[in-house]
Amino acid sequence: MPLPKGIYRADQVGSLLRPKELLAAREQAAEGKITAAQLRELEDKYIADVVQKQQEVGLGAVTDGEFRRRWFHVDFLKHLSGIEQRGAMHSTNAHADGTMPPRLVVVDKIGHPKPIQVDDFNFLQSRLGDEAKTKKTATTKVCIPSPTMLHFRSSRDVIEQAYPSLDPFFEDLIRVFQEELDDLYRAGCRLVQLDDTNLAYLCDPKMRAEAEERHGDANQLVRQYASLINGAISKRPKDMTVGIHLCRGNFRSHWFAQGGYEPVAEVLFKELDVDAYFLEYDDARSGDFSPLRHLPPHKVVVLGVMTSKKAALDDREQIVRRLREAATFCPNGLDQLCLSHQCGFSSTAEGNDLTEEEQWAKLRLEVEIAKEVWGDDLSV
């Protein structure tokens, strides 16, 4: 079966380790020592470099490495009107050093006053290179947080100030994502990935119970989220590919949740109207492959059986073996699978515990394995 446009047999989630100079500059900008324009100039420099490196290792889906972000979700959502950043989240699943993401609060009706990712996409596209554009050997990918990221961790009282009823809240959330996708499409973007931790968190018994205290029945919440995501992407043109990435946390090589996909699998695969699933599967925390039995024959899973959390290279034979095992649960076998790491290498600016050289070695190995399994043309 043909792959959705922009999806490759050797693929990636999107975030990459930030160069040390860029990390230092972001801190200087936060302290007012350099201007936003100076920071962006440095971001441009390193994004141009990382675009070239991705193509050199053989990746087809090319991102900006999320080099302009501190947090994968906050630095998008904070640009919506009606949203304010106040303090940090609180959870029993906090990282060992106490780090938690900023807390986003809904203080007014949600709006989308201007495009959020278009300027970043335009720069990324400009750096792809004429040969890649002409021969269509690479595709620029824009990663944005799933709309669920503005709801899952919020208790009802965080939202009710602006939305006494939740239906208008979800309607506005759908609308602003529709507007952003429309802006991106008009700019030329044809590949978007929604990053969603929450559907994966609802596979963790402890986090599922905590979610039920905030939002009621977890099974209904999963369906509500599927409806929310479907609404957000419902107006995309047919030639825009949308994937969704599920992750159980990825902060400095640590995770936050565990549990197989079974509690959400039927809704995930049968009700969610996306073209591809990027699924975390690098260790036992994600369960076995049996939930893939629900995968419809026309959809694709980018299987994250390699790990971005460890510096050591994955075992080639084990990765091939796991791909073939997963394929036994898919209606069309290996044709419905692609390969990636379970998550990006730097979901937050700190990044995982490995070097840039180790990161690129892992990505080169991924491309080599994909060619071994599917052949040299990784776009089919």
Side-chain angles (χ1 to χ4, degrees):
M1 60 175 286
L3 292 176
K5 183 175 174 58
I7 303 298
Y8 297 85
R9 296 298 182 184
D11 218 306
Q12 64 167 329
V13 171
S15 67
L16 296 163
L17 294 173
R18 278 53 151 188
K20 292 180 180 179
E21 184 181 0
L22 185 54
L23 289 172
R26 188 165 303 286
E27 293 301 318
Q28 290 176 324
E31 296 168 1
K33 295 178 180 178
I34 64 172
T35 66
Q38 289 173 312
L39 174 61
R40 190 168 185 91
E41 183 178 352
L42 198 59
E43 290 170 345
D44 288 350
K45 170 188 171 182
Y46 282 108
I47 288 170
D49 180 59
V50 84
V51 166
Q52 181 178 348
K53 287 180 178 177
Q54 289 171 80
Q55 294 178 84
E56 287 174 352
V57 299
L59 291 172
V62 176
T63 76
D64 63 6
E66 300 186 12
F67 280 12
R68 303 192 196 276
R69 298 184 189 175
R70 169 73 178 81
W71 299 86
F72 80 93
H73 59 311
V74 172
D75 292 296
F76 176 91
L77 295 172
K78 71 181 184 182
H79 291 289
L80 298 174
S81 62
I83 305 299
E84 288 186 3
Q85 183 175 320
R86 295 181 181 176
M89 297 297 305
H90 298 282
S91 173
T92 56
N93 295 77
H95 181 257
D97 67 3
T99 300
M100 286 296 292
R103 179 172 178 257
L104 296 175
V105 179
V106 181
V107 297
D108 203 347
K109 301 300 183 187
I110 301 170
H112 180 256
K114 63 180 181 179
I116 299 172
Q117 291 294 140
V118 166
D119 286 346
D120 297 348
F121 165 77
N122 286 336
F123 181 80
L124 175 63
Q125 183 72 2
S126 74
R127 305 313 303 175
L128 195 58
D130 293 336
E131 183 177 354
K133 294 175 188 175
T134 302
K135 295 183 179 180
K136 298 181 179 179
T137 57
T139 306
T140 47
K141 177 163 79 169
V142 173
C143 302
I144 63 176
S146 165
T148 70
M149 300 299 297
L150 203 54
H151 177 262
F152 180 75
R153 289 189 178 276
S154 299
S155 58
R156 186 69 190 89
D157 62 330
V158 172
I159 300 172
E160 67 182 2
Q161 175 183 340
Y163 292 96
S165 170
L166 275 179
D167 287 344
F169 167 75
F170 286 121
E171 290 168 3
D172 282 352
L173 197 49
I174 286 171
R175 175 181 50 79
V176 298
F177 272 80
Q178 288 176 345
E179 291 172 357
E180 179 67 14
L181 291 179
D182 182 61
D183 288 332
L184 283 166
Y185 184 84
R186 291 174 185 273
C189 177
R190 296 297 182 269
L191 177 60
V192 173
Q193 176 180 292
L194 302 176
D195 290 320
D196 191 301
T197 59
N198 303 319
L199 289 170
Y201 284 175
L202 286 168
C203 299
D204 181 298
K206 184 177 180 181
M207 296 190 82
R208 189 178 178 92
E210 291 176 351
E212 288 193 325
E213 291 179 3
R214 296 190 301 272
H215 304 301
D217 180 69
N219 290 326
Q220 179 58 33
L221 184 61
V222 172
R223 287 188 164 80
Q224 189 173 39
Y225 282 171
S227 178
L228 172 63
I229 294 167
N230 286 344
I233 65 177
S234 63
K235 293 186 178 181
R236 75 188 189 278
K238 291 183 179 179
D239 60 339
M240 174 180 265
T241 299
V242 175
I244 188 167
H245 169 235
L246 270 63
C247 175
R248 292 161 180 77
N250 185 48
F251 176 73
R252 294 174 60 183
S253 294
H254 292 267
W255 49 268
F256 295 97
Q258 56 187 324
Y261 291 98
E262 197 62 42
V264 304
E266 285 201 70
V267 174
L268 180 69
F269 294 128
K270 295 180 179 179
E271 297 184 24
L272 204 55
D273 188 26
V274 296
D275 302 297
Y277 303 89
F278 290 72
L279 299 184
E280 177 183 36
Y281 257 119
D282 62 328
D283 61 23
R285 289 181 304 109
S286 301
D288 61 27
F289 296 124
S290 61
L292 296 177
R293 71 189 184 278
H294 296 294
L295 183 68
H298 64 285
K299 290 194 174 186
V300 170
V301 169
V302 181
L303 206 65
V305 288
M306 300 181 74
T307 185
S308 69
K309 284 182 164 64
K310 299 177 182 178
L313 290 175
D314 292 274
D315 182 276
R316 182 192 298 260
E317 292 183 1
Q318 182 183 28
I319 296 303
V320 173
R321 186 165 58 249
R322 295 200 72 207
L323 283 169
R324 298 193 184 284
E325 179 188 351
T328 63
F329 293 95
C330 303
N332 291 315
L334 278 171
D335 281 353
Q336 287 187 267
L337 296 178
C338 301
L339 175 63
S340 76
H341 291 77
Q342 93 294 345
C343 193
F345 288 84
S346 192
S347 300
T348 68
E350 292 84 355
N352 286 344
D353 294 336
L354 70 165
T355 66
E356 290 184 61
E357 291 76 15
E358 289 165 337
Q359 166 188 263
W360 295 116
K362 292 171 82 70
L363 288 168
R364 279 192 293 271
L365 176 61
E366 178 197 317
V367 172
E368 291 172 5
I369 294 173
K371 288 182 177 180
E372 176 184 336
V373 174
W374 289 283
D376 288 341
D377 189 348
L378 300 179
S379 66
V380 296

